Amino acid sequence: MNTTLAILAQNSAGAPDGATALINTALFYVFAAMAVGSAIGVMVSRNIVRTAVCLLMALLGVAGLYLGMHAEFLAAVQLVVYAGGTLVLIIFGVMLTNNSTFQLYRPKRLEVVVGSGLVAMLATVLITAILRSGMADRVVTSGNTYAIQTLGEALLGDYLVPFELISVLLLAVMIGAAYLAKGRRREGEGQ
Amino acid sequence: MVGLPHYLIVAAIMMCCGVGTILLKRNAIGILLGVELILNAANVNLVAFNRYNANASGNLDGQIFAIFVIVLAAAEAAVALAIFLNFYNNFSTVDVERGDNLKG
Amino acid sequence: MPGVGKRTEPPGDASASPWGFRGVQIRQVDTPTLMQRVLFHGEPGSMAGLLWNVALILLVFLPFMSVFAMLAIWGERRVAGRMQCRPGPNRVGPFGLFQSVADGIKLILKEDLIPANADAVLFRLAPYLAFAPVFAAFMALPFAQDFTYEPRVSSGLFWILAILSVEIMGVILAGWASNNKWSIYGAMREACQMVSYEIPLGISIIVAVMAAGTLNMVELGKIQSGGIHTWLICRNPFVFLAFFVYFIASLASNKRAPFDLPESESELVAGFHTEYSGLRFSMFFFAEYAAMFVVGAIQVATFLGGWNDPFGLIGYYHAKWSKEQFDMGLIALNCIGSAIFVLKACGIVLVQMWLRWTLPRPRIDQVLYTCVKVLLPIACILLLGGAIWPLIVPDTVGMPWATYNPWSVADWQKAGATGALITQGLLAILVIAIKGSLIGWVAYAWFTRKTVRPRLSEAEPIAEVV
């Protein structure tokens, strides 16, 4: 019991610690490898459900990266909205729209060559730009572990208008999606 | 020591993979997955810039942006899937190459 | 926990350029992230912390979860037997307690089949994807005030819900990878059912969280430490109703009967796990029963006072003894608290089982109708009411219940007989009445039961029965 308090006091002192930095770095590389590897899997995989599983792994990796940046709430949002909601919706769509279970759509060879070339070019440009900009020196952190109160205050304070706009957008999306789905059924009945 | 460029490079690679997915997939839902990947890369960038910002301690603008992006991605996925269902209803496939009715 | 909610400001350099251009070096502050605190038990990089955590997981959580799942499976079969006027498993060990162990041995020895046309990788991955999130959800469960694996997660409740929501992917993948018509039907039902029921589930929890004012599981428990009338279910009438909305939604998101359409055995063979056998099959079962416990535990922690007893004794003596630094007493209190917590959660699990053998299964469109057109509007109205209620009746959030002696009437009067207290008292009486009637019901059933005599040895020949 008292040890917990001692640990808390030690943590809130925020002393830079060699071991802390080392472990943070190691965790970063683990999750970065997970995110990047799965992202490559998304690009390469031909089976659409495997693509979705790769995306799930990439999302979990990104959630880990968020944790590394002290964005705990955001990581949880990532899990609950992306992994638990959006991706399930997408897989649901896959199940509704596939004729056979393991149907593949193969791109043409020219498309593959041109596409990979473009992607390689883009990657080169982006990474060179990042390495050339002086941002390597920016190691300042706004390390804020217990940020959920700040986040809530900001959402209902400075960002109230975007927050409300988003709710209107979600309502519009709900109606729109329902309309599209319903129109489909009516068409089916007419035939 | 993990710095800002580390996160930016991870995000850059993820974004390239997303672009590649959009270019290389012919399944409409695969393209949607690529878009999600790009949005995630952007989110990593936003949160990283927020964390490695010199004068903003306790300022969470980047994270709030990221939350908005996540919500928008969910909305986008819902509408896109409704459109794909209609597409499938009309063409019995989600191969985007087949949606060429307006071609002369 | 004094550190919770207090933010640590990094020593920023005021003279730095706003964008931190090249050459501007500012002192690095690398604080342990949540992940690191979870891995190393708060002490960054200490091997002892890592070992302690590994030991905690291997020796406490994993055995607890497996033993609980085994006992729950046995209990479910016994409950089912009782409700159908048959004894249930009663041959292996006393009362058939070791039936699950025997079944487990059988399942381990069985051949692990992978259908020829299945997607083998996903087929293998799916059970783990269903099992791991449920196990991870134990991370923030508050068993007692000091017996919590990671007490400092400021959004602990949200974390548990988020991790639990990943479980659904395992089920969907299992159904898909089996390449079996029934499995895919099960997976699709699971997908639409779980995604829609997560919304009323989340909203009904928000109602309780609004009454409490925190998402931290330990803080939630501390707020409810002043006796039954401070439990969140008694805080205001809207939380009281949200309790039931949460219970129904949790049944559905856990694919428990009457919402067990993903594995409805009368239509879909066994639903999403039709093709699974052996150890992988048992992993789905473990995941299901562990998820039942986790969902019940969330309900206990948010609505039913967590580890606190109905008289507020644990909270009072915890505050008293931590002031006096009476460590043995605190440890004993924590043990009693965990026992109370687990017992309460088991009570909820028992009600889940009871419902499973009582209610018929609705159709999938009826299930979705219940969610979207019944539970969701109710949850939204409750959210609105829960937001307005504190404006009408001054709430008692933040009242230091733990410092009041539950035995002293004078202390009760000091707490102030506000309107909120009256509401809480009335609701507490209601809760006690409901609980009492449930317990009375069970007792009545027990005393008037018809004994089903197991007569395996003297069974009559089939020919004579016909």
Side-chain angles (χ1 to χ4, degrees):
Chain A
M1 283 111 249
N2 296 324
T3 52
T4 320
L5 295 182
I7 293 162
L8 257 182
Q10 183 193 331
N11 279 356
S12 51
D17 188 322
T20 305
L22 186 72
I23 294 158
N24 278 352
T25 312
L27 286 173
F28 166 80
Y29 280 113
V30 169
F31 287 113
M34 189 169 162
V36 167
S38 317
I40 292 171
V42 170
M43 183 169 65
V44 172
S45 166
R46 287 279 153 257
N47 182 333
I48 184 71
V49 176
R50 282 200 190 181
T51 312
V53 174
C54 285
L55 185 67
L56 172 72
M57 292 300 160
L59 294 178
L60 295 183
V62 170
L65 289 181
Y66 289 159
L67 279 181
M69 293 185 272
H70 292 279
E72 292 156 19
F73 183 77
L74 197 57
V77 168
Q78 170 94 354
L79 285 184
V80 79
V81 177
Y82 253 125
T86 311
L87 201 58
V88 171
L89 198 69
I90 289 173
I91 292 192
F92 196 65
V94 170
M95 290 176 177
L96 283 177
T97 55
N98 261 33
N99 293 330
S100 74
T101 315
F102 298 111
Q103 192 175 16
L104 305 177
Y105 298 98
R106 294 200 176 280
K108 290 178 199 125
R109 178 145 303 177
L110 182 69
E111 285 173 2
V112 174
V113 173
V114 174
S116 342
L118 279 175
V119 168
M121 256 163 59
L122 185 63
T124 323
V125 169
L126 277 178
I127 292 175
T128 324
I130 289 167
L131 291 180
R132 287 244 179 134
S133 69
M135 288 183 291
D137 294 333
R138 270 216 237 171
V139 286
V140 177
T141 67
S142 57
N144 191 351
T145 311
Y146 305 113
I148 186 165
Q149 291 93 344
T150 327
L151 210 58
E153 281 158 17
L155 268 180
L156 290 179
D158 294 348
Y159 289 90
L160 186 62
V161 174
F163 187 73
E164 296 296 335
L165 280 181
I166 279 261
S167 69
V168 174
L169 174 98
L170 281 180
L171 186 69
V173 162
M174 206 166 78
I175 296 171
Y179 171 76
L180 283 174
K182 198 154 195 161
R184 180 171 165 258
R185 195 182 303 147
R186 202 184 297 132
E187 203 172 279
E189 282 163 9
Q191 281 166 1
Chain B
M1 185 63 69
V2 181
L4 182 57
H6 293 71
Y7 286 106
L8 293 188
I9 286 176
V10 168
I13 297 173
M14 278 180 69
M15 182 184 124
C16 293
C17 290
V19 172
T21 314
I22 294 176
L23 288 176
L24 297 180
K25 289 267 188 296
R26 289 179 60 182
N27 190 331
I29 294 173
I31 292 173
L32 186 59
L33 295 179
V35 174
E36 301 289 337
L37 210 51
I38 290 180
L39 290 174
N40 262 284
N43 268 353
V44 172
N45 268 5
L46 286 172
V47 180
F49 277 124
N50 179 61
R51 180 159 158 74
Y52 294 89
N53 191 352
N55 65 341
S57 62
N59 186 349
L60 293 173
D61 292 355
Q63 291 195 23
I64 287 167
F65 259 75
I67 289 179
F68 284 147
V69 169
I70 289 179
V71 175
L72 284 177
E76 171 242 327
V79 174
L81 274 179
I83 292 171
F84 294 157
L85 285 185
N86 266 339
F87 187 93
Y88 180 76
N89 194 42
N90 288 334
F91 298 98
S92 338
T93 177
V94 280
D95 187 349
V96 284
E97 299 281 311
R98 300 279 295 278
D100 54 0
N101 272 11
L102 285 180
K103 213 171 177 181
Chain C
M1 227 40 71
V4 172
K6 197 174 69 183
R7 297 193 298 271
T8 55
E9 297 293 333
D13 193 341
S15 65
S17 92
W19 298 102
F21 284 121
R22 185 194 288 267
V24 180
Q25 273 284 359
I26 296 168
R27 197 175 140 223
Q28 168 92 16
V29 182
D30 214 352
T31 45
T33 59
L34 172 69
M35 186 78 68
Q36 185 167 340
R37 281 188 273 127
V38 168
L39 273 178
F40 293 95
H41 208 75
E43 294 152 85
S46 83
M47 269 301 124
L50 184 64
L51 281 180
W52 165 252
N53 268 7
V54 170
L56 206 61
I57 290 171
L58 286 184
L59 299 179
V60 179
F61 284 127
L62 205 55
F64 173 77
M65 202 170 132
S66 0
V67 169
F68 175 80
M70 279 183 172
L71 287 181
I73 290 171
W74 168 80
E76 167 121 55
R77 294 176 66 182
R78 289 289 284 194
V79 169
R82 287 289 166 201
M83 298 188 84
Q84 297 166 346
C85 289
R86 60 188 170 84
N90 63 351
R91 292 284 145 181
V92 193
F95 306 108
L97 261 175
F98 300 130
Q99 183 67 44
S100 297
V101 182
D103 285 346
I105 293 169
K106 184 195 79 174
L107 282 172
I108 290 170
L109 294 177
K110 263 188 168 179
E111 187 186 354
D112 241 349
L113 278 178
I114 296 177
N117 286 329
D119 190 332
V121 179
L122 297 186
F123 191 83
R124 286 205 185 93
L125 178 71
Y128 302 103
L129 215 50
F131 181 77
V134 184
F135 187 58
F138 272 74
M139 186 184 84
L141 280 188
F143 285 93
Q145 189 156 341
D146 305 309
F147 284 6
T148 305
Y149 185 69
E150 176 52 52
R152 284 158 294 168
V153 195
S154 60
S155 49
L157 185 56
F158 190 49
W159 253 106
I160 296 183
L161 290 179
I163 290 175
L164 273 184
S165 74
V166 180
E167 183 206 355
I168 174 183
M169 285 303 294
V171 173
I172 294 176
L173 284 185
W176 175 267
S178 301
N179 198 7
N180 172 328
K181 206 181 282 177
W182 310 125
S183 303
I184 292 179
Y185 274 133
M188 285 180 72
R189 286 178 175 187
E190 165 82 3
C192 58
Q193 181 179 318
M194 247 181 107
V195 167
S196 42
Y197 270 92
E198 248 170 26
I199 302 165
L201 185 101
I203 293 179
S204 58
I205 281 214
I206 290 174
V207 179
V209 167
M210 276 199 314
T214 177
L215 275 169
N216 183 306
M217 299 296 268
V218 178
E219 291 291 316
L220 270 176
K222 277 156 100 178
I223 279 171
Q224 312 178 56
S225 64
I228 193 167
H229 65 104
T230 57
W231 292 3
L232 284 178
I233 188 173
C234 303
R235 264 303 153 77
N236 65 47
F238 298 100
V239 183
F240 181 79
L241 294 175
F243 174 84
F244 297 99
V245 174
Y246 173 86
F247 183 70
I248 298 171
S250 74
L251 282 182
S253 70
N254 238 352
K255 53 193 184 299
R256 288 293 299 180
F259 303 108
D260 59 344
L261 287 121
E263 45 175 291
S264 48
E265 67 276 353
S266 55
E267 314 155 35
L268 299 183
V269 192
F272 63 92
H273 55 62
T274 305
E275 300 286 354
Y276 279 87
S277 65
L279 202 57
R280 296 205 180 95
F281 171 76
S282 61
M283 284 187 87
F284 281 115
F285 255 68
F286 270 61
E288 177 176 343
Y289 282 91
M292 278 167 75
F293 179 82
V294 170
V295 161
I298 295 172
Q299 195 166 12
V300 167
T302 38
F303 294 99
L304 291 180
W307 62 80
N308 293 296
D309 60 318
F311 309 106
L313 294 177
I314 288 187
Y316 174 67
Y317 283 111
H318 192 284
K320 193 171 164 225
W321 286 344
S322 48
K323 208 180 287 169
E324 296 167 6
Q325 303 214 327
F326 178 37
D327 276 351
M328 287 312 290
L330 284 181
I331 290 173
L333 268 189
N334 278 314
C335 288
I336 298 171
S338 334
I340 291 176
F341 184 82
V342 172
L343 266 183
K344 281 182 188 171
C346 285
I348 296 212
V349 169
L350 189 70
V351 178
Q352 290 179 352
M353 289 175 180
W354 184 353
L355 282 182
R356 170 166 179 185
W357 299 102
T358 312
L359 297 177
R361 184 184 299 130
R363 285 197 317 265
I364 184 72
D365 61 317
Q366 291 166 333
V367 169
L368 291 180
Y369 177 91
T370 316
C371 172
V372 177
K373 290 198 177 168
V374 181
L375 282 185
L376 191 55
I378 291 177
C380 288
I381 290 168
L382 291 181
L383 184 67
L384 201 64
I388 292 173
W389 182 265
L391 303 179
I392 303 168
V393 182
D395 213 347
T396 52
V397 169
M399 204 163 262
W401 293 111
T403 57
Y404 294 115
N405 186 345
W407 302 119
S408 145
V409 180
D411 270 6
W412 278 69
Q413 284 166 345
K414 210 162 60 187
T418 54
L421 215 57
I422 296 169
T423 329
Q424 287 177 11
L426 288 177
L427 283 170
I429 292 168
L430 195 59
V431 169
I432 292 169
I434 291 176
K435 276 190 188 167
S437 62
L438 277 180
I439 294 170
W441 200 349
V442 171
Y444 173 77
W446 176 259
F447 285 122
T448 60
R449 72 190 186 278
K450 282 181 189 154
T451 313
V452 189
R453 295 200 185 282
R455 291 189 309 176
L456 200 65
S457 54
E458 43 185 300
E460 315 215 333
I462 294 170
E464 282 179 37
V465 176
V466 172

